[in-house]
Each structure stands twice: as structure tokens, then as C-alpha cells.
Amino acid sequence: QVQLVESGGGLVQAGGSLRVSCKASGSIFSINVMGWYRQALGKQRELVARITRGGDTNYADSVKGRFTIARDNAKNTVYLQMNSLKPDDTAVYYCTAEVKLPHSVRLFDYWGQGTQVTVSS
């Protein structure tokens, strides 16, 4: 069993910053890709950023230059530093991890429960 627990969401004014974190725990052999998605009210879930175990990153065009994803492989933790926040960034942010379980050759996708980020104008 693998659990992903996010923390660090909250309310911030436009132009401000927040950092959200996500720690994976449980029966984990290794984690390949970790990422952040978000879902605003009435909209589809969308990719925000992703990072490979080796540190390669991808970002949605809407957050490039403002958000930074990072990870600590030893702690099975991924971070999302969000700067210059806009009201359009308001959403529930979900972390995801592509996990290799012990004694398995497959990779399994796990999701956190989500953390609310609200940006006021």
C-alpha cells in the first residue's frame, strides 16, 4: 500500500507565493516520475509540472517561469514552489507518483487526496 499526502495549500493574495509538498510512503521500491496536477471548479484536471527521478522537468505553459518543481528522492517527496500567483491558479492541487513496488516489474500510479490553493485578487 502506498500513500501520498499533500500539505502546504492555503489562501494567498495575487502576486504572492506558496509551496506545496507531497510525501509518498508505504511499500515503495522506487519512484519514477512525480508530478502535480490541478483541477479548478468546473474544469478538467490538468498537468501543472512533472519531474523524473533524474531531475528532468516539464511544465504547463501557463506556469512556466512562475512555478518550480523539485524532489528529494531520499525522502520520496516532491515540492511545488508557486510564485507570482494569479487568481487563475486557484484549484485543488494533486500530486502523483509512478511507483515501482517491491517484487514487481510494473509501475503503478498513485494520487494524493489534493490540497486547496486559493488566490484572491
PDB file of all heavy atoms in Angstrom, residues 92-117:
ATOM      1  N   VAL A  92      -7.712  22.785  -6.785  1.00  0.00           N
ATOM      2  CA  VAL A  92      -7.213  21.726  -5.917  1.00  0.00           C
ATOM      3  C   VAL A  92      -5.995  21.128  -6.615  1.00  0.00           C
ATOM      4  O   VAL A  92      -6.063  20.759  -7.793  1.00  0.00           O
ATOM      5  CB  VAL A  92      -8.269  20.634  -5.659  1.00  0.00           C
ATOM      6  CG1 VAL A  92      -7.677  19.521  -4.797  1.00  0.00           C
ATOM      7  CG2 VAL A  92      -9.501  21.239  -4.996  1.00  0.00           C
ATOM      8  N   TYR A  93      -4.895  21.071  -5.894  1.00  0.00           N
ATOM      9  CA  TYR A  93      -3.649  20.562  -6.446  1.00  0.00           C
ATOM     10  C   TYR A  93      -3.427  19.130  -5.945  1.00  0.00           C
ATOM     11  O   TYR A  93      -3.476  18.867  -4.738  1.00  0.00           O
ATOM     12  CB  TYR A  93      -2.491  21.459  -6.038  1.00  0.00           C
ATOM     13  CG  TYR A  93      -2.450  22.736  -6.839  1.00  0.00           C
ATOM     14  CD1 TYR A  93      -3.412  23.726  -6.671  1.00  0.00           C
ATOM     15  CD2 TYR A  93      -1.458  22.961  -7.796  1.00  0.00           C
ATOM     16  CE1 TYR A  93      -3.398  24.882  -7.423  1.00  0.00           C
ATOM     17  CE2 TYR A  93      -1.430  24.128  -8.549  1.00  0.00           C
ATOM     18  CZ  TYR A  93      -2.401  25.073  -8.358  1.00  0.00           C
ATOM     19  OH  TYR A  93      -2.391  26.238  -9.112  1.00  0.00           O
ATOM     20  N   TYR A  94      -3.184  18.243  -6.899  1.00  0.00           N
ATOM     21  CA  TYR A  94      -2.984  16.822  -6.601  1.00  0.00           C
ATOM     22  C   TYR A  94      -1.570  16.415  -6.978  1.00  0.00           C
ATOM     23  O   TYR A  94      -1.091  16.763  -8.054  1.00  0.00           O
ATOM     24  CB  TYR A  94      -3.947  15.963  -7.412  1.00  0.00           C
ATOM     25  CG  TYR A  94      -5.408  16.207  -7.133  1.00  0.00           C
ATOM     26  CD1 TYR A  94      -6.127  17.140  -7.862  1.00  0.00           C
ATOM     27  CD2 TYR A  94      -6.086  15.478  -6.155  1.00  0.00           C
ATOM     28  CE1 TYR A  94      -7.476  17.372  -7.633  1.00  0.00           C
ATOM     29  CE2 TYR A  94      -7.435  15.688  -5.907  1.00  0.00           C
ATOM     30  CZ  TYR A  94      -8.112  16.634  -6.651  1.00  0.00           C
ATOM     31  OH  TYR A  94      -9.447  16.843  -6.417  1.00  0.00           O
ATOM     32  N   CYS A  95      -0.929  15.659  -6.115  1.00  0.00           N
ATOM     33  CA  CYS A  95       0.360  15.102  -6.516  1.00  0.00           C
ATOM     34  C   CYS A  95       0.153  13.672  -7.006  1.00  0.00           C
ATOM     35  O   CYS A  95      -0.816  13.012  -6.652  1.00  0.00           O
ATOM     36  CB  CYS A  95       1.380  15.153  -5.392  1.00  0.00           C
ATOM     37  SG  CYS A  95       1.140  13.953  -4.089  1.00  0.00           S
ATOM     38  N   THR A  96       1.063  13.241  -7.811  1.00  0.00           N
ATOM     39  CA  THR A  96       1.017  11.892  -8.359  1.00  0.00           C
ATOM     40  C   THR A  96       2.420  11.305  -8.393  1.00  0.00           C
ATOM     41  O   THR A  96       3.406  12.045  -8.495  1.00  0.00           O
ATOM     42  CB  THR A  96       0.391  11.898  -9.766  1.00  0.00           C
ATOM     43  OG1 THR A  96       0.318  10.567 -10.260  1.00  0.00           O
ATOM     44  CG2 THR A  96       1.219  12.728 -10.735  1.00  0.00           C
ATOM     45  N   ALA A  97       2.480  10.003  -8.281  1.00  0.00           N
ATOM     46  CA  ALA A  97       3.776   9.323  -8.298  1.00  0.00           C
ATOM     47  C   ALA A  97       3.643   8.014  -9.056  1.00  0.00           C
ATOM     48  O   ALA A  97       2.659   7.287  -8.895  1.00  0.00           O
ATOM     49  CB  ALA A  97       4.266   9.062  -6.877  1.00  0.00           C
ATOM     50  N   GLU A  98       4.660   7.756  -9.861  1.00  0.00           N
ATOM     51  CA  GLU A  98       4.740   6.498 -10.622  1.00  0.00           C
ATOM     52  C   GLU A  98       5.678   5.580  -9.831  1.00  0.00           C
ATOM     53  O   GLU A  98       6.887   5.799  -9.813  1.00  0.00           O
ATOM     54  CB  GLU A  98       5.299   6.802 -12.004  1.00  0.00           C
ATOM     55  CG  GLU A  98       5.134   5.719 -13.032  1.00  0.00           C
ATOM     56  CD  GLU A  98       5.644   6.186 -14.389  1.00  0.00           C
ATOM     57  OE1 GLU A  98       6.859   6.441 -14.523  1.00  0.00           O
ATOM     58  OE2 GLU A  98       4.819   6.306 -15.307  1.00  0.00           O
ATOM     59  N   VAL A  99       5.105   4.582  -9.187  1.00  0.00           N
ATOM     60  CA  VAL A  99       5.826   3.822  -8.166  1.00  0.00           C
ATOM     61  C   VAL A  99       6.120   2.404  -8.630  1.00  0.00           C
ATOM     62  O   VAL A  99       5.256   1.727  -9.196  1.00  0.00           O
ATOM     63  CB  VAL A  99       5.002   3.779  -6.864  1.00  0.00           C
ATOM     64  CG1 VAL A  99       5.712   2.931  -5.813  1.00  0.00           C
ATOM     65  CG2 VAL A  99       4.757   5.180  -6.339  1.00  0.00           C
ATOM     66  N   LYS A 100       7.353   1.979  -8.351  1.00  0.00           N
ATOM     67  CA  LYS A 100       7.694   0.577  -8.542  1.00  0.00           C
ATOM     68  C   LYS A 100       7.635  -0.085  -7.168  1.00  0.00           C
ATOM     69  O   LYS A 100       8.325   0.339  -6.236  1.00  0.00           O
ATOM     70  CB  LYS A 100       9.091   0.422  -9.142  1.00  0.00           C
ATOM     71  CG  LYS A 100       9.446  -1.015  -9.521  1.00  0.00           C
ATOM     72  CD  LYS A 100      10.784  -1.089 -10.216  1.00  0.00           C
ATOM     73  CE  LYS A 100      11.063  -2.491 -10.724  1.00  0.00           C
ATOM     74  NZ  LYS A 100      11.105  -3.488  -9.637  1.00  0.00           N
ATOM     75  N   LEU A 101       6.790  -1.097  -7.068  1.00  0.00           N
ATOM     76  CA  LEU A 101       6.636  -1.799  -5.800  1.00  0.00           C
ATOM     77  C   LEU A 101       7.682  -2.892  -5.684  1.00  0.00           C
ATOM     78  O   LEU A 101       8.188  -3.388  -6.695  1.00  0.00           O
ATOM     79  CB  LEU A 101       5.237  -2.413  -5.707  1.00  0.00           C
ATOM     80  CG  LEU A 101       4.056  -1.459  -5.876  1.00  0.00           C
ATOM     81  CD1 LEU A 101       2.742  -2.219  -5.793  1.00  0.00           C
ATOM     82  CD2 LEU A 101       4.103  -0.354  -4.843  1.00  0.00           C
ATOM     83  N   PRO A 102       8.026  -3.287  -4.464  1.00  0.00           N
ATOM     84  CA  PRO A 102       8.957  -4.404  -4.280  1.00  0.00           C
ATOM     85  C   PRO A 102       8.419  -5.663  -4.969  1.00  0.00           C
ATOM     86  O   PRO A 102       7.218  -5.932  -4.939  1.00  0.00           O
ATOM     87  CB  PRO A 102       9.006  -4.574  -2.763  1.00  0.00           C
ATOM     88  CG  PRO A 102       8.600  -3.248  -2.216  1.00  0.00           C
ATOM     89  CD  PRO A 102       7.598  -2.694  -3.195  1.00  0.00           C
ATOM     90  N   HIS A 103       9.299  -6.411  -5.602  1.00  0.00           N
ATOM     91  CA  HIS A 103       8.942  -7.690  -6.224  1.00  0.00           C
ATOM     92  C   HIS A 103       7.987  -7.511  -7.395  1.00  0.00           C
ATOM     93  O   HIS A 103       7.241  -8.443  -7.729  1.00  0.00           O
ATOM     94  CB  HIS A 103       8.322  -8.647  -5.194  1.00  0.00           C
ATOM     95  CG  HIS A 103       9.102  -8.724  -3.922  1.00  0.00           C
ATOM     96  ND1 HIS A 103      10.411  -9.143  -3.867  1.00  0.00           N
ATOM     97  CD2 HIS A 103       8.760  -8.385  -2.650  1.00  0.00           C
ATOM     98  CE1 HIS A 103      10.841  -9.090  -2.630  1.00  0.00           C
ATOM     99  NE2 HIS A 103       9.870  -8.637  -1.863  1.00  0.00           N
ATOM    100  N   SER A 104       7.967  -6.349  -8.013  1.00  0.00           N
ATOM    101  CA  SER A 104       7.099  -6.114  -9.155  1.00  0.00           C
ATOM    102  C   SER A 104       7.882  -5.444 -10.270  1.00  0.00           C
ATOM    103  O   SER A 104       8.767  -4.636 -10.011  1.00  0.00           O
ATOM    104  CB  SER A 104       5.910  -5.235  -8.772  1.00  0.00           C
ATOM    105  OG  SER A 104       5.146  -4.907  -9.916  1.00  0.00           O
ATOM    106  N   VAL A 105       7.592  -5.803 -11.502  1.00  0.00           N
ATOM    107  CA  VAL A 105       8.243  -5.148 -12.635  1.00  0.00           C
ATOM    108  C   VAL A 105       7.382  -4.010 -13.170  1.00  0.00           C
ATOM    109  O   VAL A 105       7.833  -3.207 -13.978  1.00  0.00           O
ATOM    110  CB  VAL A 105       8.549  -6.150 -13.762  1.00  0.00           C
ATOM    111  CG1 VAL A 105       9.536  -7.199 -13.279  1.00  0.00           C
ATOM    112  CG2 VAL A 105       7.272  -6.788 -14.285  1.00  0.00           C
ATOM    113  N   ARG A 106       6.140  -3.928 -12.701  1.00  0.00           N
ATOM    114  CA  ARG A 106       5.239  -2.893 -13.188  1.00  0.00           C
ATOM    115  C   ARG A 106       5.419  -1.602 -12.413  1.00  0.00           C
ATOM    116  O   ARG A 106       5.925  -1.584 -11.296  1.00  0.00           O
ATOM    117  CB  ARG A 106       3.790  -3.364 -13.058  1.00  0.00           C
ATOM    118  CG  ARG A 106       3.358  -4.423 -14.043  1.00  0.00           C
ATOM    119  CD  ARG A 106       1.891  -4.714 -13.840  1.00  0.00           C
ATOM    120  NE  ARG A 106       1.082  -3.486 -13.927  1.00  0.00           N
ATOM    121  CZ  ARG A 106      -0.191  -3.414 -13.561  1.00  0.00           C
ATOM    122  NH1 ARG A 106      -0.802  -4.482 -13.073  1.00  0.00           N
ATOM    123  NH2 ARG A 106      -0.850  -2.281 -13.678  1.00  0.00           N
ATOM    124  N   LEU A 107       4.952  -0.515 -13.052  1.00  0.00           N
ATOM    125  CA  LEU A 107       4.859   0.777 -12.386  1.00  0.00           C
ATOM    126  C   LEU A 107       3.392   1.067 -12.113  1.00  0.00           C
ATOM    127  O   LEU A 107       2.536   0.816 -12.973  1.00  0.00           O
ATOM    128  CB  LEU A 107       5.462   1.883 -13.256  1.00  0.00           C
ATOM    129  CG  LEU A 107       6.969   1.821 -13.475  1.00  0.00           C
ATOM    130  CD1 LEU A 107       7.399   2.817 -14.540  1.00  0.00           C
ATOM    131  CD2 LEU A 107       7.716   2.081 -12.179  1.00  0.00           C
ATOM    132  N   PHE A 108       3.104   1.571 -10.945  1.00  0.00           N
ATOM    133  CA  PHE A 108       1.731   1.878 -10.557  1.00  0.00           C
ATOM    134  C   PHE A 108       1.609   3.376 -10.281  1.00  0.00           C
ATOM    135  O   PHE A 108       2.492   3.978  -9.670  1.00  0.00           O
ATOM    136  CB  PHE A 108       1.333   1.095  -9.309  1.00  0.00           C
ATOM    137  CG  PHE A 108       1.287  -0.389  -9.516  1.00  0.00           C
ATOM    138  CD1 PHE A 108       2.442  -1.148  -9.385  1.00  0.00           C
ATOM    139  CD2 PHE A 108       0.108  -1.022  -9.851  1.00  0.00           C
ATOM    140  CE1 PHE A 108       2.418  -2.525  -9.581  1.00  0.00           C
ATOM    141  CE2 PHE A 108       0.065  -2.390 -10.046  1.00  0.00           C
ATOM    142  CZ  PHE A 108       1.222  -3.138  -9.918  1.00  0.00           C
ATOM    143  N   ASP A 109       0.493   3.962 -10.732  1.00  0.00           N
ATOM    144  CA  ASP A 109       0.252   5.386 -10.498  1.00  0.00           C
ATOM    145  C   ASP A 109      -0.567   5.571  -9.229  1.00  0.00           C
ATOM    146  O   ASP A 109      -1.616   4.948  -9.065  1.00  0.00           O
ATOM    147  CB  ASP A 109      -0.500   6.008 -11.681  1.00  0.00           C
ATOM    148  CG  ASP A 109       0.364   6.103 -12.915  1.00  0.00           C
ATOM    149  OD1 ASP A 109       1.594   6.299 -12.762  1.00  0.00           O
ATOM    150  OD2 ASP A 109      -0.164   5.991 -14.033  1.00  0.00           O
ATOM    151  N   TYR A 110      -0.091   6.456  -8.363  1.00  0.00           N
ATOM    152  CA  TYR A 110      -0.801   6.789  -7.142  1.00  0.00           C
ATOM    153  C   TYR A 110      -1.065   8.291  -7.103  1.00  0.00           C
ATOM    154  O   TYR A 110      -0.273   9.081  -7.642  1.00  0.00           O
ATOM    155  CB  TYR A 110      -0.001   6.370  -5.908  1.00  0.00           C
ATOM    156  CG  TYR A 110       0.089   4.883  -5.736  1.00  0.00           C
ATOM    157  CD1 TYR A 110       1.141   4.172  -6.307  1.00  0.00           C
ATOM    158  CD2 TYR A 110      -0.874   4.185  -5.018  1.00  0.00           C
ATOM    159  CE1 TYR A 110       1.232   2.798  -6.171  1.00  0.00           C
ATOM    160  CE2 TYR A 110      -0.794   2.814  -4.870  1.00  0.00           C
ATOM    161  CZ  TYR A 110       0.254   2.120  -5.447  1.00  0.00           C
ATOM    162  OH  TYR A 110       0.338   0.757  -5.308  1.00  0.00           O
ATOM    163  N   TRP A 111      -2.168   8.658  -6.437  1.00  0.00           N
ATOM    164  CA  TRP A 111      -2.564  10.054  -6.324  1.00  0.00           C
ATOM    165  C   TRP A 111      -2.769  10.436  -4.873  1.00  0.00           C
ATOM    166  O   TRP A 111      -3.202   9.607  -4.053  1.00  0.00           O
ATOM    167  CB  TRP A 111      -3.887  10.283  -7.079  1.00  0.00           C
ATOM    168  CG  TRP A 111      -3.762  10.175  -8.558  1.00  0.00           C
ATOM    169  CD1 TRP A 111      -3.722   9.028  -9.298  1.00  0.00           C
ATOM    170  CD2 TRP A 111      -3.658  11.248  -9.482  1.00  0.00           C
ATOM    171  NE1 TRP A 111      -3.585   9.330 -10.634  1.00  0.00           N
ATOM    172  CE2 TRP A 111      -3.552  10.682 -10.775  1.00  0.00           C
ATOM    173  CE3 TRP A 111      -3.643  12.632  -9.358  1.00  0.00           C
ATOM    174  CZ2 TRP A 111      -3.432  11.462 -11.931  1.00  0.00           C
ATOM    175  CZ3 TRP A 111      -3.533  13.405 -10.509  1.00  0.00           C
ATOM    176  CH2 TRP A 111      -3.423  12.821 -11.771  1.00  0.00           C
ATOM    177  N   GLY A 112      -2.464  11.687  -4.566  1.00  0.00           N
ATOM    178  CA  GLY A 112      -2.791  12.221  -3.269  1.00  0.00           C
ATOM    179  C   GLY A 112      -4.241  12.652  -3.206  1.00  0.00           C
ATOM    180  O   GLY A 112      -4.968  12.602  -4.202  1.00  0.00           O
ATOM    181  N   GLN A 113      -4.653  13.105  -2.023  1.00  0.00           N
ATOM    182  CA  GLN A 113      -6.050  13.480  -1.820  1.00  0.00           C
ATOM    183  C   GLN A 113      -6.345  14.908  -2.269  1.00  0.00           C
ATOM    184  O   GLN A 113      -7.506  15.291  -2.384  1.00  0.00           O
ATOM    185  CB  GLN A 113      -6.424  13.321  -0.335  1.00  0.00           C
ATOM    186  CG  GLN A 113      -6.003  14.471   0.575  1.00  0.00           C
ATOM    187  CD  GLN A 113      -4.517  14.516   0.855  1.00  0.00           C
ATOM    188  OE1 GLN A 113      -3.763  13.613   0.482  1.00  0.00           O
ATOM    189  NE2 GLN A 113      -4.086  15.563   1.552  1.00  0.00           N
ATOM    190  N   GLY A 114      -5.302  15.669  -2.537  1.00  0.00           N
ATOM    191  CA  GLY A 114      -5.477  17.036  -3.010  1.00  0.00           C
ATOM    192  C   GLY A 114      -5.369  18.059  -1.902  1.00  0.00           C
ATOM    193  O   GLY A 114      -5.722  17.796  -0.747  1.00  0.00           O
ATOM    194  N   THR A 115      -4.869  19.224  -2.271  1.00  0.00           N
ATOM    195  CA  THR A 115      -4.789  20.342  -1.338  1.00  0.00           C
ATOM    196  C   THR A 115      -5.280  21.595  -2.058  1.00  0.00           C
ATOM    197  O   THR A 115      -4.918  21.839  -3.213  1.00  0.00           O
ATOM    198  CB  THR A 115      -3.358  20.527  -0.794  1.00  0.00           C
ATOM    199  OG1 THR A 115      -3.354  21.557   0.203  1.00  0.00           O
ATOM    200  CG2 THR A 115      -2.363  20.884  -1.880  1.00  0.00           C
ATOM    201  N   GLN A 116      -6.112  22.372  -1.386  1.00  0.00           N
ATOM    202  CA  GLN A 116      -6.724  23.546  -1.996  1.00  0.00           C
ATOM    203  C   GLN A 116      -5.757  24.715  -1.996  1.00  0.00           C
ATOM    204  O   GLN A 116      -5.167  25.049  -0.960  1.00  0.00           O
ATOM    205  CB  GLN A 116      -8.001  23.940  -1.247  1.00  0.00           C
ATOM    206  CG  GLN A 116      -8.683  25.188  -1.770  1.00  0.00           C
ATOM    207  CD  GLN A 116      -9.325  24.989  -3.133  1.00  0.00           C
ATOM    208  OE1 GLN A 116     -10.003  23.988  -3.368  1.00  0.00           O
ATOM    209  NE2 GLN A 116      -9.117  25.942  -4.042  1.00  0.00           N
ATOM    210  N   VAL A 117      -5.617  25.335  -3.149  1.00  0.00           N
ATOM    211  CA  VAL A 117      -4.874  26.590  -3.280  1.00  0.00           C
ATOM    212  C   VAL A 117      -5.851  27.635  -3.803  1.00  0.00           C
ATOM    213  O   VAL A 117      -6.459  27.449  -4.860  1.00  0.00           O
ATOM    214  CB  VAL A 117      -3.680  26.445  -4.235  1.00  0.00           C
ATOM    215  CG1 VAL A 117      -3.048  27.794  -4.515  1.00  0.00           C
ATOM    216  CG2 VAL A 117      -2.645  25.483  -3.659  1.00  0.00           C
TER     217      VAL A 117
END
